[in-house]
mmCIF file of all heavy atoms in Angstrom:
data_model
loop_
_atom_site.group_PDB
_atom_site.id
_atom_site.type_symbol
_atom_site.label_atom_id
_atom_site.label_comp_id
_atom_site.label_asym_id
_atom_site.label_seq_id
_atom_site.Cartn_x
_atom_site.Cartn_y
_atom_site.Cartn_z
ATOM 1 N N LEU P 217 11.526 8.406 2.769
ATOM 2 C CA LEU P 217 10.538 7.357 3.034
ATOM 3 C C LEU P 217 9.136 7.937 3.167
ATOM 4 O O LEU P 217 8.169 7.356 2.674
ATOM 5 C CB LEU P 217 10.936 6.612 4.308
ATOM 6 C CG LEU P 217 10.162 5.365 4.711
ATOM 7 C CD1 LEU P 217 11.036 4.484 5.594
ATOM 8 C CD2 LEU P 217 8.884 5.695 5.468
ATOM 9 N N ASN P 218 9.017 9.097 3.804
ATOM 10 C CA ASN P 218 7.709 9.690 4.101
ATOM 11 C C ASN P 218 7.766 11.210 3.927
ATOM 12 O O ASN P 218 7.845 11.953 4.902
ATOM 13 C CB ASN P 218 7.291 9.306 5.518
ATOM 14 C CG ASN P 218 5.937 9.830 5.947
ATOM 15 O OD1 ASN P 218 5.682 10.011 7.131
ATOM 16 N ND2 ASN P 218 5.031 10.073 5.018
ATOM 17 N N PRO P 219 7.724 11.688 2.671
ATOM 18 C CA PRO P 219 7.871 13.129 2.412
ATOM 19 C C PRO P 219 6.823 14.007 3.090
ATOM 20 O O PRO P 219 7.125 15.120 3.512
ATOM 21 C CB PRO P 219 7.761 13.227 0.889
ATOM 22 C CG PRO P 219 8.072 11.871 0.378
ATOM 23 C CD PRO P 219 7.625 10.911 1.430
ATOM 24 N N TYR P 220 5.592 13.507 3.166
ATOM 25 C CA TYR P 220 4.525 14.283 3.810
ATOM 26 C C TYR P 220 3.984 13.508 5.004
ATOM 27 O O TYR P 220 3.394 12.441 4.862
ATOM 28 C CB TYR P 220 3.381 14.548 2.833
ATOM 29 C CG TYR P 220 3.698 15.571 1.772
ATOM 30 C CD1 TYR P 220 3.932 15.169 0.458
ATOM 31 C CD2 TYR P 220 3.752 16.932 2.069
ATOM 32 C CE1 TYR P 220 4.222 16.095 -0.531
ATOM 33 C CE2 TYR P 220 4.035 17.869 1.090
ATOM 34 C CZ TYR P 220 4.274 17.440 -0.208
ATOM 35 O OH TYR P 220 4.565 18.374 -1.180
ATOM 36 N N CYS P 221 4.203 14.071 6.190
ATOM 37 C CA CYS P 221 3.732 13.453 7.427
ATOM 38 C C CYS P 221 2.822 14.452 8.135
ATOM 39 O O CYS P 221 3.292 15.490 8.622
ATOM 40 C CB CYS P 221 4.907 13.062 8.320
ATOM 41 S SG CYS P 221 4.436 12.113 9.777
ATOM 42 N N LEU P 222 1.541 14.165 8.163
ATOM 43 C CA LEU P 222 0.542 15.052 8.745
ATOM 44 C C LEU P 222 0.172 14.585 10.142
ATOM 45 O O LEU P 222 0.202 13.391 10.443
ATOM 46 C CB LEU P 222 -0.697 15.079 7.848
ATOM 47 C CG LEU P 222 -0.415 15.499 6.393
ATOM 48 C CD1 LEU P 222 -1.595 15.142 5.492
ATOM 49 C CD2 LEU P 222 -0.101 16.979 6.308
ATOM 50 N N ALA P 223 -0.181 15.513 10.988
ATOM 51 C CA ALA P 223 -0.381 15.186 12.400
ATOM 52 C C ALA P 223 -1.676 14.429 12.674
ATOM 53 O O ALA P 223 -1.687 13.455 13.420
ATOM 54 C CB ALA P 223 -0.343 16.471 13.229
ATOM 55 N N SER P 224 -2.771 14.874 12.083
ATOM 56 C CA SER P 224 -4.083 14.328 12.446
ATOM 57 C C SER P 224 -4.399 13.036 11.692
ATOM 58 O O SER P 224 -4.187 12.958 10.484
ATOM 59 C CB SER P 224 -5.182 15.353 12.141
ATOM 60 O OG SER P 224 -4.978 16.532 12.890
ATOM 61 N N PRO P 225 -4.944 12.028 12.377
ATOM 62 C CA PRO P 225 -5.309 10.757 11.729
ATOM 63 C C PRO P 225 -6.665 10.850 11.045
ATOM 64 O O PRO P 225 -7.625 10.143 11.396
ATOM 65 C CB PRO P 225 -5.322 9.772 12.908
ATOM 66 C CG PRO P 225 -5.751 10.612 14.065
ATOM 67 C CD PRO P 225 -5.160 11.984 13.832
ATOM 68 N N ILE P 226 -6.738 11.721 10.044
ATOM 69 C CA ILE P 226 -7.984 11.957 9.313
ATOM 70 C C ILE P 226 -7.671 11.949 7.825
ATOM 71 O O ILE P 226 -6.525 11.750 7.418
ATOM 72 C CB ILE P 226 -8.628 13.299 9.729
ATOM 73 C CG1 ILE P 226 -7.636 14.458 9.524
ATOM 74 C CG2 ILE P 226 -9.086 13.248 11.180
ATOM 75 C CD1 ILE P 226 -8.200 15.831 9.851
ATOM 76 N N ALA P 227 -8.683 12.156 6.989
ATOM 77 C CA ALA P 227 -8.460 12.206 5.549
ATOM 78 C C ALA P 227 -7.331 13.189 5.244
ATOM 79 O O ALA P 227 -7.318 14.314 5.762
ATOM 80 C CB ALA P 227 -9.745 12.633 4.842
ATOM 81 N N PRO P 228 -6.361 12.789 4.427
ATOM 82 C CA PRO P 228 -5.163 13.614 4.253
ATOM 83 C C PRO P 228 -5.425 15.002 3.691
ATOM 84 O O PRO P 228 -4.741 15.965 4.084
ATOM 85 C CB PRO P 228 -4.284 12.784 3.312
ATOM 86 C CG PRO P 228 -5.183 11.759 2.722
ATOM 87 C CD PRO P 228 -6.258 11.511 3.708
ATOM 88 N N HIS P 229 -6.404 15.153 2.796
ATOM 89 C CA HIS P 229 -6.642 16.499 2.254
ATOM 90 C C HIS P 229 -7.203 17.431 3.329
ATOM 91 O O HIS P 229 -6.912 18.633 3.321
ATOM 92 C CB HIS P 229 -7.573 16.442 1.037
ATOM 93 C CG HIS P 229 -9.005 16.146 1.349
ATOM 94 N ND1 HIS P 229 -9.437 14.917 1.817
ATOM 95 C CD2 HIS P 229 -10.131 16.922 1.253
ATOM 96 C CE1 HIS P 229 -10.747 14.952 1.991
ATOM 97 N NE2 HIS P 229 -11.190 16.150 1.659
ATOM 98 N N ILE P 230 -7.968 16.881 4.287
ATOM 99 C CA ILE P 230 -8.493 17.699 5.376
ATOM 100 C C ILE P 230 -7.368 18.043 6.344
ATOM 101 O O ILE P 230 -7.226 19.194 6.782
ATOM 102 C CB ILE P 230 -9.638 16.964 6.095
ATOM 103 C CG1 ILE P 230 -10.795 16.711 5.123
ATOM 104 C CG2 ILE P 230 -10.115 17.759 7.301
ATOM 105 C CD1 ILE P 230 -11.916 15.872 5.705
ATOM 106 N N ALA P 231 -6.545 17.042 6.683
ATOM 107 C CA ALA P 231 -5.411 17.297 7.579
ATOM 108 C C ALA P 231 -4.461 18.323 6.972
ATOM 109 O O ALA P 231 -3.978 19.229 7.668
ATOM 110 C CB ALA P 231 -4.674 15.992 7.865
ATOM 111 N N ALA P 232 -4.191 18.189 5.675
ATOM 112 C CA ALA P 232 -3.272 19.119 5.010
ATOM 113 C C ALA P 232 -3.822 20.542 5.045
ATOM 114 O O ALA P 232 -3.084 21.503 5.323
ATOM 115 C CB ALA P 232 -3.030 18.668 3.577
ATOM 116 N N GLU P 233 -5.112 20.684 4.783
ATOM 117 C CA GLU P 233 -5.719 22.023 4.803
ATOM 118 C C GLU P 233 -5.642 22.635 6.199
ATOM 119 O O GLU P 233 -5.293 23.807 6.355
ATOM 120 C CB GLU P 233 -7.168 21.942 4.340
ATOM 121 C CG GLU P 233 -7.860 23.295 4.266
ATOM 122 C CD GLU P 233 -9.287 23.202 3.740
ATOM 123 O OE1 GLU P 233 -9.756 22.075 3.485
ATOM 124 O OE2 GLU P 233 -9.923 24.264 3.597
ATOM 125 N N GLU P 234 -5.944 21.830 7.208
ATOM 126 C CA GLU P 234 -5.898 22.338 8.586
ATOM 127 C C GLU P 234 -4.487 22.725 9.011
ATOM 128 O O GLU P 234 -4.301 23.634 9.817
ATOM 129 C CB GLU P 234 -6.462 21.286 9.534
ATOM 130 C CG GLU P 234 -7.970 21.072 9.393
ATOM 131 C CD GLU P 234 -8.498 20.028 10.357
ATOM 132 O OE1 GLU P 234 -7.675 19.387 11.059
ATOM 133 O OE2 GLU P 234 -9.738 19.858 10.418
ATOM 134 N N GLU P 235 -3.492 22.011 8.467
ATOM 135 C CA GLU P 235 -2.105 22.257 8.867
ATOM 136 C C GLU P 235 -1.372 23.207 7.915
ATOM 137 O O GLU P 235 -0.169 23.446 8.078
ATOM 138 C CB GLU P 235 -1.372 20.914 8.965
ATOM 139 C CG GLU P 235 -1.938 20.021 10.063
ATOM 140 C CD GLU P 235 -1.361 18.618 10.066
ATOM 141 O OE1 GLU P 235 -0.179 18.448 9.712
ATOM 142 O OE2 GLU P 235 -2.108 17.674 10.430
#
Side-chain angles (χ1 to χ4, degrees):
L217 187 156
N218 181 206
Y220 287 106
C221 187
L222 303 165
S224 299
I226 56 178
H229 72 291
I230 298 174
E233 183 177 3
E234 290 180 354
E235 296 172 33

